Amino acid sequence: MAEDRRYRGLLIGNAVFPGDPHGLPALNGPRDDIAQLEQVLTDPQVGLFDSADLETLSDHEIQDVRERVDDLFTKARRGDVVLLYYSGHGLLDERGTLYLCAKNTRSSALRSTALSAIEINNIVDGSAASSTVIILDCCYSGAFKGAAAEAPLSGRGRYVLTSSRSTQLTRAADGPGRPSPFTGQLVRALRTAQPGKSGEHLTVAEIYHQVHDWVTAGAVIAPQLRFTGEGDVAFARRPAQFLPEQGQKGTVAPGGEGAGLPGPAPELPLRAERSQARPAVLTMNRRRALAALSFAGVAGGGGALSWALWPKGARSGADSKNSVSDRFDVPRGRKKIDAVMPVPARDGAQSDAPRDYWLFAGTDYIRVSISATAQYPVHRVLKGPAQLKSWGDTIGKVEGFEEGIDTVLRVPGESDQHWVFSKDQYICMKVSPERNYEDKLVSGPSPISHWSDAFDGFTSIDAVIPVPGSTNQVWVFSGAKYVLTELKGGAEAGGRPWKVGTIPGQWKGSIGSREGFSTGIDAAIPLPGEPHQYWVFSGMRYMKIRVLTDGEHTDSVRQDPGILRAGPA
C-alpha cells in the first residue's frame, strides 16, 4: 500500500548560472517549478510526501547538488519511494551524456562543474529504495537513459520521466512567477486527476500519459517515460472530487476556464534558445527529431511565412493574396527550415551564391530573396503559400516526398537540376528557369544507399553546404557528423569522401561552438555575392558564418545566433 511506504524527495531548481552567463542564460521557471511541485506533493488531499521528507534546493553550486543527491539515496531504506526532480539547463557532452547544470556550471567544463546522468545512476544503483522516480525538466532530458536493462536494481524499479526527447529543447516559462509548461502540466495532472477512476492512487505511468496528452496538444514537444524493473508505483492520491487549479501567481491553466478541464499546453520560448555553447551528439534525423517543435511564441513579430512555388501552368505570381512581402515570419505550426533550393537563373548560369531560393518546411515551401548585408537572413518573401504536393511532376508525385524533404543537392554544372532527399530515398529533378517554373522528374525515386560511399555511410542527411569556389565539393551533414565529399560529374549519383568528422570537433570556429548548431544543422545558404559566407539554420535559430578556402577551411562566426520571427496564431 502506498500509505505504508515512506516517500522522500529532492526538488532541484537552478535558474541562474553566473559562472557561464553567455552559455547558460538565466531562466524563468525553475524556482516556481519546485515551489509549485512541493506544494502539490505535500498537499494532504493529493500528495504522499511529508513536508519533512521533501527538500528543495534552489540555485546551489555543483558540490552542494552532488552531496544532496547522494545523501537522498544513501539514506533511503527498503520500501522507500525516492523522487529526484530537476528544473534548469540540461547539456550534452560530445558523447551524448546528459549533464544537469548548477549555479557554478560552465558549459566548457561539464565534467567538473555539472552532474552527469552517469553519476546519478551510479548513486541510485547503491540505494536500497524500492522505487526511484526521476523527473527532469530540461533540454535534452530524454538523453537520461536510466539504468541499463541488465543492470541489477536494489529495489523494484526506476522510473525516468522527462520533459522532452534526447534531441529536443524544452520550453521555458514565459515570464517571472510562472512554472515551465511541462512542470505546470505535471502539477495540473496531480491536482485535477479524474475522480472516480479505478484505483485510489495515481501511478507514475498514469500521470505521464495525462501530461503527455496535454503537452503535445497543438505544440508537440514529447515527454518521455522510461522504466527499468517491474510494475508501477503510486505517486499521488486520486482526488475524491475535482480540485480547482491553483489561482495564485504562477498558476498554469492553459485549458482556459473550468477547473480540471484539460487543454493544450501554451507555446512558449525554448528554454535554451539563447545559450551559446553546447557540445553534443545528435544521432537521429534532424527533421524527425525536431518535427515536434512548435515555433509560435519563440519570438515576437507579426505577419506570416508564405510558401509558394507557382503550380504548373499558373500565371506568374500565383493568386493575388500571395503578394510580395518585406517581412519574413515563421507562422504558427512551422517547425524549422528543412531544406533550401536555389531558383534557377534564366540565362542558365550557375552562380555560387544566387539570391532567390525556395525554402522548405514540413509540407510547405516559399520563394524568397536572401539578404547579403542585413542582420536577418531573408530579405523579402516573393511568393506563397503552397504545399509540396503542388510540385505535381516531382516532389508531389513521389510517395513520401510530399510529407517533407531533408535536403537538396544541386547537380554540378547544372543550375536547374537537383537531387532531392527525403528519409531514405532521393530523386533527381529539373526545374524550368521560366517564370512558370515547371518541374520534371529526371530519375528516381532511388534508395539513398546509392550515395553510401560519397556520404560515408549516412542513412539520411540533414543539410549540405557548398564549398566556396568549387562546383562539385560539398559538406554533407547528418546529425553532429559531416563528410566533405567530391561529387561525380553530371547527374550521376555518388562521389568520394575527402574528410569526415564531427561538428564540435572540426567546426570549432563557428557552428561547432554554438549551442544547438553543434548537434546538427538543417540548412545553409551562401550569402548573395559572398560565397564564403553562409546563413546557417538550426531549428528556429540562424547565424552567419564565414569559411575560408585555405586548405583548412578555417571557419568563423560573422553574426551570433538569432531567432527567426514567429507569426501570430
Side-chain angles (χ1 to χ4, degrees):
M1 293 290 294
E3 309 295 341
D4 299 328
R5 295 179 178 179
R6 184 185 182 191
Y7 282 71
R8 304 179 71 252
L10 175 62
L11 311 180
I12 303 171
N14 280 301
V16 294
F17 308 85
D20 189 0
H22 298 292
L24 299 170
L27 295 170
N28 294 314
R31 297 186 185 112
D32 295 282
D33 288 341
I34 61 175
Q36 290 202 18
L37 195 56
E38 179 189 28
Q39 184 181 43
V40 72
L41 291 177
T42 58
D43 186 330
Q45 297 185 75
V46 178
L48 294 170
F49 289 78
D50 187 281
S51 58
D53 290 326
L54 188 62
E55 180 183 8
T56 61
L57 200 63
S58 177
D59 295 323
H60 280 240
E61 295 190 347
I62 188 59
Q63 189 58 32
D64 287 340
V65 172
R66 187 174 281 116
E67 289 177 0
R68 301 292 182 88
V69 172
D70 184 72
D71 187 62
L72 172 71
F73 289 100
T74 299
K75 290 182 177 179
R77 298 292 179 260
R78 188 172 298 279
D80 287 356
V81 176
V82 178
L83 165 67
L84 175 62
Y85 168 90
Y86 172 82
S87 175
H89 278 302
L91 297 180
L92 298 176
D93 68 8
E94 66 278 0
R95 296 183 178 181
T97 300
L98 177 68
Y99 285 80
L100 308 184
C101 298
K103 183 178 180 179
N104 61 331
T105 294
R106 301 191 312 276
S107 55
S108 61
L110 292 180
R111 289 172 182 81
S112 60
T113 64
L115 184 64
S116 74
I118 295 173
E119 288 182 87
I120 295 172
N121 276 319
N122 287 339
I123 293 171
V124 176
D125 285 342
S127 176
S130 293
S131 300
T132 297
V133 180
I134 298 173
I135 302 177
L136 304 178
D137 190 352
C138 62
C139 293
Y140 309 115
S141 52
F144 192 105
K145 303 300 183 184
E150 67 274 10
L153 291 174
S154 300
R156 291 184 59 220
R158 191 172 310 175
Y159 309 80
V160 180
L161 175 58
T162 66
S163 60
S164 64
R165 296 190 176 111
S166 62
T167 56
Q168 288 182 323
L169 303 180
T170 289
R171 296 193 179 279
D174 63 345
R178 293 184 63 86
S180 73
F182 171 77
T183 298
Q185 297 289 31
L186 174 62
V187 170
R188 183 176 175 221
L190 293 168
R191 291 188 59 82
T192 64
Q194 182 179 348
K197 260 187 112 172
S198 60
E200 180 183 355
H201 295 94
L202 296 170
T203 67
V204 172
E206 185 178 354
I207 295 167
Y208 159 72
H209 287 302
Q210 180 61 84
V211 172
H212 184 279
D213 287 348
W214 284 343
V215 170
T216 58
V220 184
I221 293 181
Q224 302 291 294
L225 176 64
R226 292 188 176 87
F227 169 64
T228 305
E230 60 183 39
D232 203 347
V233 64
F235 193 69
R237 296 182 177 90
R238 186 183 302 280
Q241 57 185 355
F242 277 123
L243 298 177
E245 299 192 46
Q246 292 170 291
Q248 62 188 29
K249 181 181 180 181
T251 187
V252 170
E257 297 81 6
L261 297 179
E267 298 177 351
L268 301 171
L270 293 176
R271 170 163 289 189
E273 67 188 15
R274 293 174 294 169
S275 297
Q276 296 298 311
R278 176 170 299 164
V281 174
L282 187 62
T283 58
M284 66 192 306
N285 178 275
R286 291 283 294 178
R287 180 166 62 82
R288 297 170 191 161
L290 291 176
L293 295 178
S294 173
F295 293 146
V298 169
L305 175 61
S306 304
W307 303 93
L309 169 78
W310 303 303
K312 183 175 181 179
R315 66 179 179 84
S316 172
D319 56 344
S320 59
K321 71 176 181 179
N322 297 324
S323 58
V324 172
S325 170
D326 288 329
R327 184 169 177 98
F328 175 88
D329 296 330
V330 177
R332 174 184 174 91
R334 292 300 162 224
K335 318 305 189 287
K336 62 188 181 69
I337 297 174
D338 293 324
V340 301
M341 185 167 74
V343 175
R346 295 184 188 176
D347 59 6
Q350 183 179 27
S351 169
D352 288 341
R355 177 171 294 276
D356 291 356
Y357 277 79
W358 289 296
L359 310 184
F360 300 85
T363 59
D364 302 299
Y365 61 95
I366 183 175
R367 182 176 172 232
V368 303
S369 64
I370 301 300
S371 171
T373 58
Q375 300 297 301
Y376 201 62
V378 174
H379 173 62
R380 60 179 8 184
V381 175
L382 299 177
K383 296 296 174 182
Q387 294 187 318
L388 294 183
K389 62 184 180 182
S390 66
W391 297 67
D393 290 332
T394 55
I395 297 170
K397 180 179 181 180
V398 181
E399 183 178 357
F401 282 72
E402 76 283 358
E403 298 175 0
I405 60 178
D406 297 322
T407 200
V408 175
L409 182 58
R410 187 161 60 177
V411 174
E414 301 291 342
S415 67
D416 58 353
Q417 291 190 41
H418 302 83
W419 292 294
V420 180
F421 297 82
S422 177
K423 298 178 183 178
D424 58 354
Q425 297 186 96
Y426 76 96
I427 60 173
C428 183
M429 60 177 285
K430 183 175 183 178
V431 183
S432 168
E434 299 302 318
R435 293 182 67 89
N436 283 348
Y437 296 112
E438 295 183 359
D439 56 317
K440 177 181 179 182
L441 188 65
V442 177
S443 64
S446 305
I448 196 175
S449 58
H450 289 176
W451 293 83
S452 181
D453 290 341
F455 295 165
D456 195 47
F458 292 164
T459 57
S460 64
I461 58 176
D462 304 321
V464 296
I465 298 181
V467 175
S470 174
T471 60
N472 63 342
Q473 289 188 351
V474 293
W475 291 290
V476 181
F477 295 82
S478 181
K481 298 180 180 179
Y482 82 96
V483 57
L484 171 60
T485 288
E486 182 175 316
L487 303 174
K488 294 181 178 179
E492 183 181 0
R496 58 173 178 167
W498 283 91
K499 182 179 181 180
V500 297
T502 65
I503 296 176
Q506 278 72 43
W507 292 77
K508 297 179 181 179
S510 59
I511 54 177
S513 67
R514 295 297 189 266
E515 175 243 333
F517 293 87
S518 63
T519 65
I521 62 174
D522 302 316
I525 301 176
L527 270 67
E530 298 285 347
H532 291 265
Q533 296 190 49
Y534 303 87
W535 291 111
V536 184
F537 302 89
S538 180
M540 275 293 282
R541 306 185 67 178
Y542 66 89
M543 66 184 296
K544 185 190 295 184
I545 70 171
R546 183 184 184 188
V547 183
L548 299 179
T549 312
D550 57 2
E552 295 297 326
H553 292 125
T554 303
D555 57 319
S556 60
V557 174
R558 303 295 290 178
Q559 181 178 314
D560 283 329
I563 305 296
L564 292 171
R565 295 186 294 257

